[in-house]
Amino acid sequence: MTAAVVSMPLPASAADGTTSGTPALEAVFNNPLPKGTAGYDRTIENRLIELIGKAAPASSIRVSLYTLEDPQVVDALIGARDRGVDVQVLSEGCPWPAHDCKAPLPEAERLAQSLGNAPDGKPRVILCQKGCMQNKDINHDKFWLFSALTDGRRNVAVQSSHNLGATTAALADNMVISSDDAQIYQGYEQTWTTMRAKELTNAAYDLWPEVDADGTGDFSGHAGTVAGWRYPRAARSGEVVNDPVARSISALDCATGPEVHIAMASWDGRTEVDKAIAAKVDAPGAGGKRCAFRIVVAGAPEKATGLERDAQHPNRDVEVWSVSMNQLNGASGGLHSKYVLLSWDDAAGPHRVVHTGSINFNDAGLVSADETSLRITDPAIYDAFKANWDRLRTQNDLTANTLADLPFLYEYGDGTAKPFTFGTTEYRTFRDPKHSAVSPATALHRKTVQGDFDGDGVPDLAVLNDEGTSTAGKMALETFLGKPDGRYSAGTRSWTAASDWGWFSSMRLTSGDYNGDGRDDVAALYTYAGTGDSWAFFTFLANPDGTFSAPRRAYESLGGWGRTSQMQLVSGKFDSDQRDDIAVLYTYADGGLGLHTFTAKADGTLNASFRSWYVTNKGTDVWGWGNQTRIVSGDFDGDRRDDIGALYSYGDGGLGLHTFTSQANGAFNKPFGSWYVANKPEYWGSGDRMKLTTGDFDGDGRDDIASLYGYTSPEAMAVHVFGSRQDGGFNAPFRGWYGSSFPWAGIQLPPS
């Protein structure tokens, strides 16, 4: 379903086609879909065009908008004028921050020229400068008024969160249509008339006079099922909180276990709302109940994320999903909705409240800009908004689908670093990378692995920090637990090595569930001093909280097996048990290649290896060279055992992907090739510009290979996915993300 419309059924029509005039409400939503695909969502725009088309001859349309750039809507308004409808519009002349631009928006200017002047000789389309009611900020309104429709409805007031800008189609937005409610309509109409008069006289900045004493400061004159507020207004009037959302939240009794669901485009800080929420998140109710807050937020999410539970506030019942914008046909555009839902049951029965309008969670919207909002206490409208909220949460929750995501560590030029996640969408694309305001400890160098270290189904990162100096080998292992929306909790250090334990430079990491407890662990290949032929595997087993136990020696080779400098290692479930194993591609001194498997024991240690594939690379027994091969692991053929994928860079510049499918005992079959590009005359790219990892990115039950490709001119990065086939081979790559915000060289992409 691409969009949602929920209505309170209108009363049956009379014989003449008119309705009985009983007030009715309707909720309409835009749901983000990829640009350029079937179903690209314009539900709100289409419903507005439908309403304009139903405007009765000699009726009136009044509009107050922030931006008017949609040519189809402009055409519909011109068509209504041609039918004899009195169309008049207030709109901001230039979107923020270009308040003083000289050229108005082209579509708004076209509408103004087409409609001409009103009967009073003033323009039918007035393009306000720095707002209409005031001249300090902007006209951020999004409301429409229809005095009469041909289907019999009268006094139709439309309140939306949706702009009609050139790039706003298919943003997640919401709209409420109120029909046959004269008080609500007249409140909006009086608001519009006042704003027009003030703009025409260039009146000074002014506030609306209503005060929310006892919750009655709405412009509609009543506080029934629907009540309306207009802005700018004073945030407080003496001791009276003049913000309707803050008042509703403050009135909650946490003993009733209320739930507050918020979808907010921007949360720069709305002082009275912030105070009200802060008072409730830490207020225990009787019987241990708490006020529960569930928040989906886009711009400036720090106010929301600061409410989450932490060590200082362990009992908060707050969950936040931070929404990022998306490039290259992701769930396009992101979140622009603006609503707050409150739900609780008490002795008086169930209570369901919706606050929605044009206003974000910022003080400027409350006290400076032209805005309007509604409070609705209709259960059906609440249910419609709650269903929309659930969809928004699902679209931005990594656990809501079975697709693999791409966590990585980004190291900045100043030595700091942050963990990030590319979230995978259902459209075979990736959301812009997301992070939290967390960073690994100060370190000279870092090594990173990924895994689900706490077993919650969300990818985490473990970072080994080099905290030594030129004379000491101190290092520490730090865990960053992933959150469902792709952000991370602050790092937790679980192991620190003293200077006599070993050296950071001698450690190579991989990750997997080596003891079969459902949590990924970390394994380290440690090279002792000498020529590299003396080495050991150590395993750091994961605890339920995602930290790690002290390392234990899992396997030791004291000489004669081979040198670590000739080993490439990956982890995976290569045999038929439920534990991850370690496979090594080994380059022998004479140029031969072999695959060896170290199967895991139940205690997380490793059995001695066995070799299942070998090529001499002499005479006719030639496959290729180890220094031109890079390996990754994944279940590429869907048989529930992991295989090995090998990217081979040919000497003539070509590239190829090969697969070693696994056997039930952890051995590997001989490789076969599936994808090849000669890179001449057409050029796909270079193997040394590809950082590889694996996961099921398309949801077909088989792992694929993802490549973070670093371009050099211009400096940018793309995520390419090589989708797997049923035989374990690979299809040609498709591109799921492209951007220039992350210089490729600074990314550590841990293999799966």
Side-chain angles (χ1 to χ4, degrees):
M1 185 171 69
T2 63
V5 178
V6 175
S7 303
M8 288 287 290
L10 285 168
S13 297
D16 62 356
T18 63
T19 65
S20 65
T22 302
L25 295 170
E26 187 177 15
V28 183
F29 303 93
N30 266 11
N31 292 317
L33 291 173
K35 295 180 179 179
T37 63
Y40 179 63
D41 200 53
R42 284 177 54 88
T43 303
I44 288 177
E45 289 90 340
N46 292 340
R47 182 53 59 89
L48 288 171
I49 291 170
E50 176 188 336
L51 290 170
I52 296 168
K54 288 183 176 181
S59 69
S60 66
I61 297 176
R62 298 291 183 262
V63 185
S64 183
L65 288 177
Y66 175 40
T67 53
L68 182 56
E69 296 182 272
D70 191 294
Q72 295 180 46
V73 173
V74 169
D75 288 343
L77 290 171
I78 294 171
R81 185 278 318 272
D82 293 343
R83 298 193 311 272
V85 179
D86 178 17
V87 179
Q88 298 191 43
V89 176
L90 300 174
S91 183
E92 190 71 11
C94 304
W96 183 89
H99 291 309
D100 299 316
C101 64
K102 304 303 181 184
L105 296 172
E107 287 300 320
E109 182 70 6
R110 178 167 74 91
L111 181 65
Q113 293 175 354
S114 296
L115 298 189
N117 288 339
D120 63 2
K122 305 298 183 182
R124 290 184 176 276
V125 176
I126 296 176
L127 302 180
C128 305
Q129 297 296 313
K130 298 185 180 180
C132 304
M133 171 68 182
Q134 42 75 35
N135 55 12
K136 186 176 182 179
D137 205 283
I138 57 174
N139 174 10
H140 198 240
D141 280 334
K142 304 151 203 333
F143 71 80
W144 298 68
L145 305 175
F146 302 86
S147 65
L149 302 180
T150 55
D151 60 13
R153 282 181 286 172
R154 301 289 185 270
N155 297 324
V156 177
V158 177
Q159 175 65 68
S160 181
S161 70
H162 192 48
N163 296 315
L164 292 175
T167 61
T168 58
L171 289 171
D173 265 304
N174 59 274
M175 184 169 77
V176 173
I177 303 172
S178 168
S179 301
D180 297 306
D181 188 329
Q183 287 181 296
I184 287 294
Y185 180 89
Q186 289 165 10
Y188 273 105
E189 185 178 46
Q190 194 266 343
T191 300
W192 187 92
T193 302
T194 303
M195 292 171 62
R196 181 176 187 267
K198 283 186 171 288
E199 177 65 22
L200 288 174
T201 59
N202 196 27
Y205 171 73
D206 203 358
L207 299 174
W208 292 101
E210 292 91 355
V211 176
D212 257 332
D214 301 321
T216 57
D218 61 296
F219 62 54
S220 57
H222 68 81
T225 300
V226 185
W229 280 261
R230 54 193 174 190
Y231 313 85
R233 63 194 299 155
R236 296 181 68 94
S237 180
E239 296 302 313
V240 175
V241 175
N242 214 22
D243 185 322
V245 174
R247 288 176 68 91
S248 288
I249 293 173
S250 295
L252 293 173
D253 179 359
C254 291
T256 65
E259 294 184 349
V260 180
H261 291 82
I262 300 172
M264 194 55 53
S266 180
W267 195 332
D268 293 325
R270 189 160 147 186
T271 300
E272 297 302 329
V273 169
D274 294 343
K275 288 179 182 178
I277 294 176
K280 294 300 177 181
V281 295
D282 290 320
K289 292 186 177 180
R290 307 197 58 103
C291 288
F293 288 82
R294 302 292 183 263
I295 302 166
V296 179
V297 62
E302 291 78 16
K303 290 283 186 181
T305 58
L307 298 168
E308 293 176 298
R309 65 174 62 91
D310 55 26
Q312 288 72 40
H313 308 90
N315 297 318
R316 286 180 172 176
D317 191 358
V318 179
E319 296 181 40
V320 178
W321 290 263
S322 174
V323 180
S324 63
M325 302 294 280
N326 299 281
Q327 297 197 75
L328 198 67
N329 290 346
S332 60
L335 174 70
H336 196 255
S337 300
K338 310 172 201 320
Y339 59 78
V340 179
L341 314 179
L342 302 98
S343 171
W344 74 97
D345 298 337
D346 59 21
H351 302 267
R352 304 294 182 264
V353 180
V354 176
H355 284 272
T356 186
S358 63
I359 183 171
N360 288 302
F361 272 8
N362 55 56
D363 281 330
L366 186 76
V367 303
S368 299
D370 299 336
E371 309 265 12
T372 49
S373 70
L374 295 174
R375 184 193 65 204
I376 303 169
T377 56
D378 181 86
I381 296 300
Y382 175 92
D383 290 345
F385 272 85
K386 178 57 167 55
N388 179 256
W389 188 94
D390 288 339
R391 189 177 196 278
L392 293 174
R393 193 276 304 169
T394 298
Q395 286 182 327
N396 294 281
D397 193 315
L398 304 187
T399 66
N401 58 43
T402 60
L403 304 177
D405 304 292
L406 292 179
F408 64 92
L409 186 74
Y410 184 77
E411 294 190 286
Y412 296 88
D414 61 1
T416 62
K418 280 188 172 64
F420 284 80
T421 306
F422 279 104
T424 310
T425 79
E426 60 189 291
Y427 306 108
R428 302 206 316 170
T429 62
F430 298 90
R431 298 181 177 91
D432 284 352
K434 191 182 301 181
H435 71 92
S436 298
V438 297
S439 178
T442 301
L444 300 175
H445 304 283
R446 302 177 181 90
K447 296 176 181 179
T448 310
V449 289
Q450 67 159 300
D452 183 6
F453 302 124
D454 59 356
D456 66 352
V458 181
D460 313 307
L461 287 177
V463 180
L464 184 68
N465 297 307
D466 179 7
E467 299 175 352
T469 66
S470 59
T471 59
K474 189 175 181 181
M475 53 189 151
L477 190 61
E478 191 173 11
T479 307
F480 293 89
L481 296 179
K483 296 187 177 184
D485 63 349
R487 295 178 296 120
Y488 293 86
S489 299
T492 301
R493 180 179 300 199
S494 56
W495 175 74
T496 301
S499 59
D500 59 352
W501 190 90
W503 294 88
F504 174 89
S505 59
S506 299
M507 300 272 277
R508 292 166 61 187
L509 304 183
T510 183
S511 61
D513 181 8
Y514 304 116
N515 61 357
D517 64 358
R519 299 186 300 271
D520 286 326
D521 313 299
V522 173
L525 173 62
Y526 188 82
T527 304
Y528 295 109
T531 61
D533 59 355
S534 179
W535 50 268
F537 279 112
F538 291 86
T539 50
F540 299 79
L541 299 182
N543 301 314
D545 62 357
T547 60
F548 299 96
S549 62
R552 63 180 302 183
R553 187 176 284 106
Y555 176 83
E556 184 161 13
S557 174
L558 297 178
W561 192 98
R563 295 184 177 182
T564 57
S565 61
Q566 303 303 110
M567 297 165 63
Q568 292 190 50
L569 63 152
V570 290
S571 294
K573 290 180 171 61
F574 301 124
D575 59 13
S576 57
D577 64 26
Q578 295 303 305
R579 298 186 294 272
D580 278 297
D581 314 299
I582 294 177
V584 169
L585 179 68
Y586 190 77
T587 302
Y588 294 88
D590 62 0
L593 276 178
L595 266 178
H596 299 255
T597 307
F598 296 82
T599 57
K601 302 177 184 179
D603 63 356
T605 61
L606 302 172
N607 293 303
S609 69
F610 63 91
R611 189 175 74 184
S612 58
W613 175 77
Y614 174 71
V615 60
T616 63
N617 276 331
K618 291 181 172 63
T620 59
D621 186 28
V622 175
W623 184 82
W625 309 105
N627 61 358
Q628 295 171 211
T629 307
R630 291 157 57 200
I631 61 173
V632 290
S633 66
D635 181 9
F636 304 127
D637 58 5
D639 66 357
R640 299 189 179 182
R641 294 192 308 271
D642 286 329
D643 313 298
I644 290 178
L647 176 71
Y648 192 80
S649 297
Y650 294 88
D652 61 359
L655 284 175
L657 276 175
H658 303 260
T659 307
F660 298 82
T661 55
S662 62
Q663 302 173 14
N665 66 350
F668 295 94
N669 297 309
K670 65 180 181 180
F672 66 92
S674 56
W675 175 76
Y676 173 78
V677 59
N679 274 335
K680 51 186 176 184
E682 294 84 9
Y683 181 68
W684 185 88
S686 172
D688 62 5
R689 303 295 296 177
M690 298 168 67
K691 298 182 179 183
L692 304 179
T693 188
T694 59
D696 183 4
F697 304 115
D698 56 13
D700 63 1
R702 300 186 303 270
D703 286 326
D704 314 297
I705 293 179
S707 164
L708 267 61
Y709 190 84
Y711 297 92
T712 56
S713 181
E715 186 175 358
M717 184 177 71
V719 180
H720 294 102
V721 174
F722 297 83
S724 61
R725 307 189 313 230
Q726 289 184 347
D727 64 354
F730 298 96
N731 297 313
F734 63 86
R735 190 167 77 177
W737 185 88
Y738 178 85
S740 57
S741 53
F742 295 89
W744 178 83
I747 287 179
Q748 283 195 29
L749 180 67
S752 297

